[in-house]
């Protein structure tokens, strides 16, 4: 029987969230008909790009994917299997299947990223932005590599905004000297919930008052 | 009565220059109809991207926007106000209004970036390029995020070239053991002047001798 | 008479390989009709971008182009000469002329990049990817700056794949405690040979089994 403690739970969430981020890259690569190397890079960047950019800015080493290099082998295998066996119908199936794990990833990564920045005693807004970056910039880099305007910048869905609010909550909870895992998991759960509600009710951010030119 | 010394002057120039860079991002985001998060990122990258990339390459910390995190709150506020109140006519007004502060930014940032690299005793050409990067790469990253060929690469305006020449002048003046602020402000003023002349007289860089294919 | 030892050979290969990478950027810039600054940046990024990104990720300084800053002056000169004297026919000539030096660059850079990462005792897959990055990401950044999907991601040529296999061979040879230059040059030569065969026989990577949408 497995001893389900917070740590085991975190690993399960991490794996499913990272897989969801990676699969969003795999799908983007398949849509663009990238070759094996392109798919591999775009998949990897979707999964690890946000955290890596955060760590470059915060000057932290080693990166997650250097410490857990086995994940890269796994990713390589999945990319090759996908190129062999993926058909059109699988794309839509996969897109729906990753919505929940992706929402888990949004919550966990934004909360973890904020907490990591807090350890360096950075200002509130910087910690929050590091959380947002962790959750969102994998997808941003994915879209830049695919030569698209990043969806996170242009789809008017409250995704980064949820990460931003959740990050502020992480910082607020830290004021009360709660255990770190509480400061991470409560905001992470709330962000995941908000994201699922946002998808379900099709919430949209307010738009511009200007006409196209 | 304010004691107008070099330092106060620098702060005034810095604020107006950074605002001009930020507003160029805000306008680009509005043109692309980015959502709130997209506009915020593109605005921030336009303002701070060049200096941040320079600091990553030179391995310097903390970044400007980490030390002066209040600016990010201000930027966030301005982005939200812009989304609420900006109309088409404001875009053209803003574009004309930022030409002079942008020219100030070109001069100040290129000179400061060169001087900062000089403190690390890097080769002449590297110092100069760090100055150019500080002044120009915010706009380059802005255009990449907006999925455009960077204007700085393709508009044939002598912008980066002015930053390059100004950087060389910074290094030359440093040879004479002048006070750092002189080595910065004389080239900065000259670059600003040159940029304004370049706009006024519509100077263009020479083109290619090849036909389009 | 020149004493042709491994070191002299390496310098000759390095110069011709870096020139080939740089020229691929120059041609891309000419095709896009970039201005002088754009051509210079795209040329420089093609030549030094891969190694620089690797060094940023591995937190290594100084960069190659900081230690050998004279190369930048040379590159600047070549860019200006190209803008003055390059005609359409030269583009095709240059493209054919750089195929072999580019294959040399693929081999040498992938092997060197892998060996450099190995000195930091990183995991096998990470070392290999650092080699791939060194050889391939200059071209990737070139294409992103030119607002194209990176050719390395989408042309189905076995280029990065060769770098990947060659990197694994570098690591294998290092297991036998051979001299470093052997661990570098044997895989480098094999990669170059494979690349030339791949061009000659028009080898292609397998494609997707999905239809376009």
């Amino acid at each position: 029987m497995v001893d389900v403690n917070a740590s085991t739970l975190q690993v399960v969430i991490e794996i499913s969230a990272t897989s969801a981020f990676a699969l969003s890259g795999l799908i983007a690569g398949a849509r663009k008909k990238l070759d094996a190397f392109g798919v591999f890079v775009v998949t990897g960047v979707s999964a690890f790009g946000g955290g890596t950019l955060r760590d470059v800015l915060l000057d932290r080493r080693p990166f997650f994917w250097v410490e857990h290099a086995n994940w890269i082998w796994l990713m390589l295998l999945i990319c090759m299997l996908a190129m062999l066996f993926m058909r059109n119908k699988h794309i839509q199936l996969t897109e729906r299947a990753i919505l929940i794990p992706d929402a888990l990833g949004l919550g966990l990564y934004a909360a973890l990223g904020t907490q990591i920045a807090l350890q360096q005693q950075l200002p509130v807004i910087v910690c929050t932005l590091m959380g947002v970056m962790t959750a969102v910039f994998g997808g941003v880099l994915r879209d830049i590599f695919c030569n698209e305007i990043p969806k996170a910048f242009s789809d008017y869905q409250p995704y980064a905004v949820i990460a931003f609010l959740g990050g502020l909550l992480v910082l607020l909870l830290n004021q009360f000297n709660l255990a770190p895992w509480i400061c991470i998991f409560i905001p992470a759960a709330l962000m995941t919930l908000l994201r699922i509600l946002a998808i379900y009710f099709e919430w949209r951010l307010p738009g511009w008052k200007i006409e196209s030119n």
Side-chain angles (χ1 to χ4, degrees), chain A:
Chain A
M1 208 176 77
V2 186
D3 175 25
V4 182
N5 53 27
S7 171
T8 309
L9 183 65
Q10 182 178 338
V11 169
V12 170
I13 296 179
E14 247 180 58
I15 291 180
S16 60
T18 305
S19 305
F21 282 19
L23 284 173
S24 84
L26 186 65
I27 291 172
R31 284 244 165 82
K32 286 274 176 182
K33 292 276 183 73
L34 300 185
D35 63 25
F37 178 63
V39 167
F40 174 70
V41 171
V42 170
T43 301
V45 153
S46 303
F48 304 123
T52 302
L53 187 57
R54 177 203 63 213
D55 285 351
V56 166
L57 293 181
L58 297 185
D59 214 1
R60 293 176 78 237
R61 299 289 185 290
F63 299 126
F64 181 86
W65 47 274
V66 172
E67 258 189 317
H68 302 84
N70 287 336
W71 288 51
I72 310 181
W73 287 111
L74 183 65
M75 225 182 62
L76 198 58
L77 182 71
I78 291 173
C79 286
M80 287 194 294
L81 290 177
M83 291 202 79
L84 286 174
F85 298 113
M86 202 179 212
R87 299 291 178 280
N88 286 58
K89 58 181 175 184
H90 299 134
I91 291 186
Q92 287 144 40
L93 264 176
T94 311
E95 279 193 315
R96 243 174 305 154
I98 64 177
L99 279 177
I100 303 289
D102 180 88
L104 286 167
L106 168 63
L108 186 70
Y109 281 18
L112 278 175
T114 306
Q115 189 77 16
I116 285 169
L118 188 64
Q119 284 160 11
Q120 293 200 3
Q121 309 194 284
L122 299 173
V124 166
I125 183 78
V126 174
C127 291
T128 316
L129 290 181
M130 289 298 144
V132 173
M133 186 176 281
T134 310
V136 179
F137 261 69
V140 168
L141 292 173
R142 172 199 67 205
D143 294 340
I144 290 177
F145 279 10
C146 288
N147 200 22
E148 304 273 359
I149 290 194
K151 269 204 300 187
F153 293 176
S154 56
D155 68 359
Y156 285 84
Q157 290 189 28
Y159 192 94
V161 168
I162 291 173
F164 185 83
L165 297 174
L168 290 178
L169 183 59
V170 170
L171 298 174
L172 183 69
L173 292 179
N174 270 285
Q175 294 301 310
F176 298 107
N177 287 316
L178 301 171
W181 74 267
I182 297 184
C183 300
I184 289 171
F185 275 91
I186 292 181
L190 278 174
M191 284 188 265
T192 301
L193 183 66
L194 264 179
R195 170 66 183 153
I196 292 172
L197 291 175
I199 295 171
Y200 190 78
F201 292 109
E202 301 191 349
W203 290 342
R204 285 293 174 275
L205 297 173
W208 288 89
K209 303 286 186 298
I210 57 174
E211 299 94 53
S212 292
N213 48 357

